Amino acid sequence: MSHLKDAKSLILEFYKDLDAATPEEAAQILQRYTASDYRWRGSYPFDELNGAEAVAEAFWAPYKRAFSPIQRRENIFFASQNRLDGEATTWVCSMGHMLGHFHTPWIGITPNHKMTFLRYCEFHCIENGKIQESALHIDIMGILLQVGSRVIPEATGFVTVTPGPQTQDGLLLTEQEPDEGKATLDLIERMITRLIDTGVKTTIEDLKLDWRDDMLWWGPAGIGASYTQQGYLKGHTRPFEDGLEFIRHNGHIVRLGEGNYGGFFGYPSMTMRATGGYMGLTSDGDKLADMRIVDLYRRDGDRLAENWIFIDHLWFLKQLGVDLLQRHIDMTAPVERFA
């Protein structure tokens, strides 16, 4: 298990140096820790980038200029070999919030000059002591909510700053029993297979097979959080399944499990058709759109207890002709006045 320990140590050092770096130093830090052919997958409007310099220029330097000082508040941290490639690659996963004082514009969003939380989940593939590729999923709609944007539809769940695990044990800094990680990932895959086989149609009977009765589902901005199986149906699955038609599952990039924690991401995960009602959308006919999704889980015994979800809603909605980021920019643009 030394490869997992080494991978974790690398990412911990990387975060320490990156978080302390100035905007101008971000590229140098990335170059130090990443491979020469570094690949980066991001949320819209950043999308896919190649090379440390491109990633620093597009994301890290502008973000660091807008939000400072940045404090990483990590809730979940674990490492695992990727089950989807026969455990040929090693990945580290980190989830939490990046906290900063929002004081200059960022991607067209006017600052609120207040403490602001950017919810994130990041995956890193480690090869030969370097970060070969990363995927950074961020909840930009959560930033829009914090600055009081009027373009975000009312959530069906509870909107809050997403907490870490109830058990407060999500930072797996020490070696874990391999069988525990396998049990976690087996349970996650059993649940996902059942969901896909039903065409993404959830029932209480299905939930009882894999989830605790007092399950917690921590959804992204635009949906919010839900508590208990009945609350989950009311706050997420019924609005989601009634407003969208499941077309196909596109697979995942990784599936990981260590200790009682595990998860995956797809880029994209699913293809959907808007049938009307989801996040205020009307029906869009036969137009299809892809969803980039992250799921992280905490297992409690033989059931799943908590689930943290990231959906790149801005990218999904833009494919359907709804550019929420541009709508926000247009609504907050200064009005020209003429004499």
Side-chain angles (χ1 to χ4, degrees):
M1 303 295 287
S2 62
H3 59 287
L4 296 184
K5 180 181 178 181
D6 291 344
K8 290 179 183 180
S9 295
L10 176 69
I11 297 304
L12 290 174
E13 286 298 315
F14 169 60
Y15 282 164
K16 178 182 176 182
D17 290 345
L18 180 62
D19 293 350
T22 65
E24 294 72 27
E25 294 169 337
Q28 178 184 353
I29 298 301
L30 284 165
Q31 289 169 346
R32 182 187 307 166
Y33 285 93
T34 62
S36 58
D37 56 346
Y38 179 53
R39 179 180 184 183
W40 190 87
R41 297 178 177 94
S43 302
Y44 176 82
F46 305 102
D47 300 322
E48 297 188 67
L49 298 167
N50 292 296
E53 187 172 347
V55 175
E57 180 180 352
F59 179 75
W60 283 109
Y63 175 70
K64 281 178 165 288
R65 292 189 186 102
F67 299 84
S68 66
I70 293 173
Q71 183 181 107
R72 187 182 299 269
R73 301 184 65 85
E74 195 173 43
N75 299 124
I76 293 176
F77 182 80
F78 67 94
S80 166
Q81 290 172 286
N82 182 10
R83 181 173 287 186
L84 294 182
D85 62 11
E87 300 189 345
T89 55
T90 298
W91 292 73
V92 179
C93 176
S94 170
M95 189 209 80
H97 295 84
M98 287 184 282
L99 168 65
H101 189 265
F102 190 10
H103 57 85
T104 61
W106 182 61
I107 57 173
I109 304 174
T110 302
N112 60 358
H113 301 283
K114 296 179 181 179
M115 178 175 70
T116 308
F117 289 86
L118 178 61
R119 187 175 182 237
Y120 81 91
C121 185
E122 191 165 28
F123 295 81
H124 300 284
C125 179
I126 312 302
E127 293 184 7
N128 301 317
K130 295 286 186 177
I131 304 172
Q132 184 68 43
E133 58 182 290
S134 301
L136 176 61
H137 303 261
I138 54 176
D139 195 345
I140 296 174
M141 280 179 59
I143 296 288
L144 293 176
L145 286 174
Q146 290 172 76
V147 300
S149 178
R150 291 177 289 159
V151 304
I152 308 300
E154 183 178 357
T156 51
F158 177 65
V159 177
T160 183
V161 174
T162 304
Q166 180 191 24
T167 47
Q168 301 294 310
D169 61 355
L171 302 180
L172 306 188
L173 302 178
T174 59
E175 186 172 329
Q176 306 294 307
E177 171 56 48
D179 287 345
E180 293 298 315
K182 180 179 183 301
T184 298
L185 194 48
D186 286 347
L187 177 56
I188 291 170
E189 291 191 330
R190 186 181 78 186
M191 181 273 298
I192 289 297
T193 299
R194 181 179 295 112
L195 183 63
I196 294 170
D197 287 347
T198 63
V200 189
K201 294 296 181 183
T202 309
T203 67
I204 281 290
E205 289 73 23
D206 291 328
L207 291 175
K208 288 185 179 299
L209 295 172
D210 301 313
W211 296 89
R212 284 175 54 109
D213 293 340
D214 61 347
M215 64 177 287
L216 286 156
W217 191 86
W218 304 106
I223 299 177
S226 296
Y227 177 44
T228 75
Q229 292 179 6
Q230 288 290 354
Y232 173 62
L233 289 178
K234 179 178 182 295
H236 171 56
T237 59
R238 284 173 184 158
F240 187 91
E241 293 168 6
D242 290 347
L244 299 172
E245 178 188 357
F246 173 72
I247 301 300
R248 63 178 172 269
H249 183 250
N250 300 304
H252 298 138
I253 304 296
V254 299
R255 290 185 182 176
L256 311 174
E258 185 184 24
N260 290 333
Y261 291 88
F264 54 77
F265 79 89
Y267 200 87
S269 296
M270 298 192 298
T271 301
M272 312 292 282
R273 176 184 287 114
T275 57
Y278 180 66
M279 294 185 64
L281 288 173
T282 56
S283 175
D284 203 60
D286 292 329
K287 194 168 185 179
L288 306 182
D290 294 327
M291 277 189 168
R292 299 165 174 166
I293 300 175
V294 170
D295 277 80
L296 296 188
Y297 302 86
R298 177 175 68 86
R299 175 178 60 86
D300 182 359
D302 62 352
R303 294 290 187 274
L304 297 171
E306 295 187 78
N307 185 193
W308 294 264
I309 305 289
F310 292 74
I311 300 176
D312 193 349
H313 272 139
L314 293 181
W315 185 67
F316 175 71
L317 295 176
K318 192 172 189 297
Q319 294 170 78
L320 296 172
V322 179
D323 191 335
L324 285 187
L325 184 58
Q326 189 59 52
R327 285 187 184 182
H328 171 80
I329 294 170
D330 293 343
M331 289 181 67
T332 56
V335 177
E336 292 187 11
R337 302 186 185 277
F338 299 93

